[in-house]
Amino acid sequence: MTLVFTLICFHARGARLISTKRHRYTRAGSEDSMDFGTVFLILILVVIAIVLGVAITVGVLVSRGVLGLVKLSKPKYESAKRNAMKVRAETTSGPLGEIMKARIRLQEAMEATRRSLEVASSTRQYTGNLDSIFRTLQQSAQVVDSQLLVAQQDPDPAVRGIYAKTLSVQAEQITHTATGIRNALASAAAPAVDVDLKDLTRTLEIEATMLKNWSATYTGLGDGS
């Protein structure tokens, strides 16, 4: 009887140990599985972040390149459009031709004045209040040019004739003022430079004389040998 009870207790303890070990193995396996899933998720997030970063960088570079090309090509486009309008204006008579010619004269005068002011500024030429005058004039020119464009696109020749009489005078006044700005810049075209040009000329003459003497001496030595 005692032997049977001992065997039963031993069996129960063995079963409990087996159950405990299975539970530990199961929990360890689940922890390993959970660790692997976490690592895999982190790797996916890292890859997504890298892809997004590269896409954003490429997008920024492309947009800057496109904007740069637009900025570079805009002046050429405006010049080509103006040349095409000039050709059309030469072959167009009546109020429409007058309007187109007024637009061309206005645009060319403002463009030439802008270039003159930019060159004067880059060479540190004194311009006084000419920059401020030009900015005000530029605003008026934009308004008049927009009105001339409306007149150019009007289908009624009579309306175009009225526009031509009123706006051509304003465009001519703006063009005349722009010419006055360029005349003022041309009459005071004395760039501020750090170099004394007279002194530089004297130095150049001295160097030229020395080179001439050295060349004559060298040639004489060659003939004597």
Side-chain angles (χ1 to χ4, degrees):
M1 185 70 179
T2 303
L3 180 60
V4 173
F5 180 75
T6 302
L7 291 173
I8 292 173
C9 291
F10 180 78
H11 179 72
R13 182 181 295 177
R16 189 163 53 251
L17 290 173
I18 293 172
S19 176
T20 302
K21 290 181 179 180
R22 287 180 178 176
H23 178 69
R24 290 178 179 175
Y25 291 154
T26 303
R27 185 173 62 183
S30 63
E31 290 178 354
D32 292 341
S33 177
M34 185 170 60
D35 292 340
F36 177 76
T38 303
V39 172
F40 183 72
L41 179 61
I42 292 173
L43 289 175
I44 291 178
L45 292 176
V46 170
V47 171
I48 292 174
I50 293 173
V51 171
L52 288 176
V54 172
I56 292 173
T57 303
V58 171
V60 170
L61 293 175
V62 170
S63 63
R64 288 182 179 179
V66 170
L67 290 176
L69 290 175
V70 170
K71 290 180 180 179
L72 289 174
S73 60
K74 186 176 179 180
K76 295 182 179 180
Y77 171 74
E78 293 295 334
S79 178
K81 186 169 67 173
R82 191 182 304 126
N83 290 333
M85 185 170 62
K86 187 183 296 185
V87 172
R88 184 184 171 191
E90 293 297 331
T91 58
T92 304
S93 59
L96 180 59
E98 294 178 7
I99 291 171
M100 296 175 68
K101 291 175 183 177
R103 289 191 66 200
I104 293 169
R105 289 193 296 267
L106 181 63
Q107 292 176 7
E108 289 182 342
M110 298 305 296
E111 179 66 19
T113 308
R114 182 191 63 79
R115 289 196 304 266
S116 298
L117 282 170
E118 286 182 353
V119 171
S121 177
S122 65
T123 57
R124 292 183 295 173
Q125 177 182 343
Y126 178 73
T127 58
N129 294 324
L130 293 181
D131 284 325
S132 176
I133 295 173
F134 176 71
R135 285 194 296 269
T136 304
L137 190 67
Q138 197 171 31
Q139 294 175 358
S140 301
Q142 290 174 352
V143 173
V144 173
D145 186 66
S146 298
Q147 292 175 342
L148 285 170
L149 178 60
V150 172
Q152 179 181 330
Q153 295 174 344
D154 196 282
D156 192 341
V159 175
R160 287 200 299 263
I162 297 174
Y163 270 120
K165 291 180 180 179
T166 56
L167 295 178
S168 295
V169 175
Q170 298 179 24
E172 187 63 29
Q173 291 176 348
I174 295 174
T175 302
H176 180 72
T177 306
T179 304
I181 294 176
R182 297 198 304 277
N183 287 336
L185 289 172
S187 61
V193 294
D194 297 329
V195 180
D196 186 351
L197 295 180
K198 292 182 178 179
D199 183 65
L200 186 63
T201 302
R202 287 194 298 269
T203 304
L204 178 60
E205 290 175 352
I206 294 172
E207 291 294 330
T209 303
M210 292 177 61
L211 288 173
K212 184 178 180 180
N213 294 335
W214 178 85
S215 177
T217 303
Y218 183 80
T219 302
L221 290 175
D223 293 340
S225 62

